[in-house]
Amino acid sequence: LLLLIPPLLFFIVGQNGLAIAFVIIDVIIFIFGIMIYSVAVGIISEFGIRKMIEEDLKILTTKTLNTMYYEDQEEKSWYEGLFSNNNDSIAGYNSDFVEWVIIIFMFLAGVNFLLHFKALRGDFSPYKMDKEFRFYCYIIAGSTIILASVLNFSGLAEPEIAGDNYRNSPMETQQLSEHYEMESEKINSLYKSVKVSLFQSLAIITTTGFVTADFDMWPDFLRFLLLFLMFFGGCAGSTGGGMKMVRIMIVAKVAFRAIRKLTQPRLVAPVKIGKQMIDDSRVINVISFVLLFILLFVLTAALMTLFVPDLTTAISCSISTIGNIGPGLSGIGAVENYGWIPLGGKWVLIFSMLLGRLEIFTVLIVLRPSVWKK
């Protein structure tokens, strides 16, 4: 609370630049304070606090713990960009009911919340009329059909190919064989293939980060498709990260308009989303954001090659952190984590997550000295 006094005083006297600078300093101090607190808690835990907590936890029944886990996962499905508190993620619960509940809430969380607000007031027509929502549904349906079709007819990648994918903790031959058999059982029917495909499509597109299958065992075509879906994100006004569906729609419309103008030089075709015309200034802003997003992706991937020994891991952790998704491919895949990445790489990814979650422009504007002077 004391740290808030200097920026408040500067705001009162009109020194907004200095106030913003002090706010940034306060945030840094707060983060380091949390880090010191975490270390202190770790030290204290070695002197018996951990045992006391463990004894208290024994009072809870297994049923109570399972109920708490299910409620936690259902709540988290509303807040995108999260890992599960189970290392196997949602697959660890082995429950169709849990998976379908989370599928429903992931889908709803990726939709513009203004549509939900209108629906709560009895007006469901925006769901039908909103072009972005329809595009969102088409992408989910299309990706699910492709994933389910390939998995149902082709199955997993060959064991030798799947085993060659980089993992921080390589599996022994016997362990890999058992893991391969377990993953095969998850797609041994059309229903299971569709369920797994729908879950993973939603988890990636809405940037929720949950997994029910080790998709590093899937054919490379499907792994590439999941990597491609990481760029999309949810709808504008949703809880998801990524580029957002509406931006991708605008860029696609601009590209098609440019192609049409090559054959019809005098064509006048404004960019429209539904019946709403998008003015040129907004189109430029969208294209600028997409270019910065791709540039950030390339730079982050290039920097991560200095810290991780696998190119696929470097590329996937770049887009996964910019989109605030969570899991990626290979070394940070569905059954892996970020714990093994060196400290320097973690700082690169931290900055990448910050830029991605605040949608790039906000951070770049704050970092401009001219803004502080104003």
Side-chain angles (χ1 to χ4, degrees):
L1 290 176
L2 291 174
L3 291 174
L4 294 176
I5 294 175
L8 286 175
L9 291 175
F10 281 117
F11 270 122
I12 292 171
V13 298
Q15 296 294 329
N16 294 340
L18 290 173
I20 294 172
F22 268 96
V23 168
I24 295 171
I25 293 170
D26 289 350
V27 170
I28 294 172
I29 293 173
F30 179 76
I31 292 172
F32 277 101
I34 294 295
M35 293 169 63
I36 294 170
Y37 172 78
S38 301
V39 173
V41 169
I43 294 171
I44 292 172
S45 66
E46 298 299 325
F47 291 93
I49 303 298
R50 187 186 301 274
K51 293 181 179 179
M52 293 170 59
I53 295 172
E54 290 174 353
E55 290 175 1
D56 290 339
L57 286 175
K58 289 178 182 178
I59 300 172
L60 298 174
T61 63
T62 304
K63 182 178 180 181
T64 305
L65 286 172
N66 286 337
T67 303
M68 289 167 62
Y69 270 127
Y70 292 157
E71 290 176 352
D72 182 60
Q73 300 312 311
E74 290 166 15
E75 180 182 357
K76 279 186 176 182
S77 62
W78 278 98
Y79 305 102
E80 317 294 13
L82 295 169
F83 275 110
S84 169
N85 52 13
N86 187 328
N87 201 44
D88 291 330
S89 192
I90 306 304
Y93 304 115
N94 194 28
S95 168
D96 275 11
F97 173 76
V98 171
E99 290 178 24
W100 281 110
V101 169
I102 292 176
I103 283 172
I104 292 170
F105 282 99
M106 284 194 297
F107 176 80
L108 293 175
V111 178
N112 189 330
F113 271 56
L114 182 60
L115 302 185
H116 296 328
F117 176 74
K118 291 181 178 179
L120 289 173
R121 301 184 68 178
D123 183 9
F124 292 90
S125 60
Y127 287 122
K128 183 179 179 180
M129 297 172 61
D130 189 80
K131 294 290 184 180
E132 185 186 22
F133 175 70
R134 291 167 64 179
F135 181 67
Y136 171 71
C137 292
Y138 293 151
I139 294 296
I140 292 171
S143 58
T144 301
I145 291 170
I146 294 172
L147 290 170
S149 300
V150 175
L151 288 175
N152 190 59
F153 292 108
S154 300
L156 302 178
E158 293 297 324
E160 297 79 11
I161 298 174
D164 287 340
N165 291 328
Y166 176 81
R167 296 178 187 270
N168 181 52
S169 303
M171 295 182 182
E172 299 293 336
T173 305
Q174 181 63 28
Q175 185 183 6
L176 178 62
S177 177
E178 293 174 356
H179 184 64
Y180 189 89
E181 184 178 351
M182 182 179 68
E183 292 299 318
S184 296
E185 291 177 358
K186 295 179 180 178
I187 57 169
N188 61 7
S189 69
L190 180 59
Y191 164 73
K192 290 183 178 180
S193 297
V194 171
K195 184 187 67 173
V196 168
S197 301
L198 177 59
F199 191 100
Q200 291 310 147
S201 295
L202 277 168
I204 295 297
I205 291 171
T206 63
T207 71
T208 311
F210 289 149
V211 295
T212 54
D214 183 3
F215 40 75
D216 272 318
M217 308 292 287
W218 295 1
D220 284 342
F221 171 72
L222 298 188
R223 296 173 71 226
F224 175 80
L225 178 59
L226 291 177
L227 187 71
F228 177 67
L229 292 176
M230 291 181 184
F231 286 88
F232 281 76
C235 299
S238 72
T239 60
M243 288 188 187
K244 300 293 188 302
M245 292 291 176
V246 69
R247 290 195 179 104
I248 294 172
M249 291 174 68
I250 291 174
V251 170
K253 285 179 176 291
V254 170
F256 284 122
R257 184 181 66 174
I259 294 172
R260 290 173 63 193
K261 279 194 171 184
L262 291 175
T263 56
Q264 299 173 289
R266 296 183 181 181
L267 176 70
V268 177
V271 177
K272 290 184 177 181
I273 300 295
K275 294 181 179 180
Q276 182 180 2
M277 187 168 59
I278 311 298
D279 59 69
D280 289 342
S281 61
R282 290 182 62 187
V283 170
I284 292 171
N285 286 339
V286 168
I287 294 175
S288 300
F289 175 86
V290 172
L291 290 175
L292 285 173
F293 192 98
I294 294 172
L295 179 62
L296 177 62
F297 161 68
V298 172
L299 290 176
T300 304
L303 288 174
M304 289 308 298
T305 58
L306 302 175
F307 300 101
V308 299
D310 176 61
L311 182 60
T312 303
T313 302
I315 291 173
S316 65
C317 69
S318 172
I319 183 58
S320 183
T321 51
I322 296 171
N324 283 251
I325 297 165
L329 300 176
S330 296
I332 57 162
V335 294
E336 300 290 327
N337 57 62
Y338 289 77
W340 61 274
I341 295 178
L343 184 61
K346 285 189 175 77
W347 278 110
V348 171
L349 297 180
I350 286 170
F351 188 66
S352 174
M353 285 188 285
L354 179 66
L355 280 171
R357 183 71 269 186
L358 297 178
E359 301 209 329
I360 304 176
F361 284 132
T362 307
V363 179
L364 295 181
I365 289 172
V366 170
L367 294 177
R368 289 188 61 192
S370 60
V371 176
W372 298 3
K373 292 177 183 179
K374 292 180 182 179

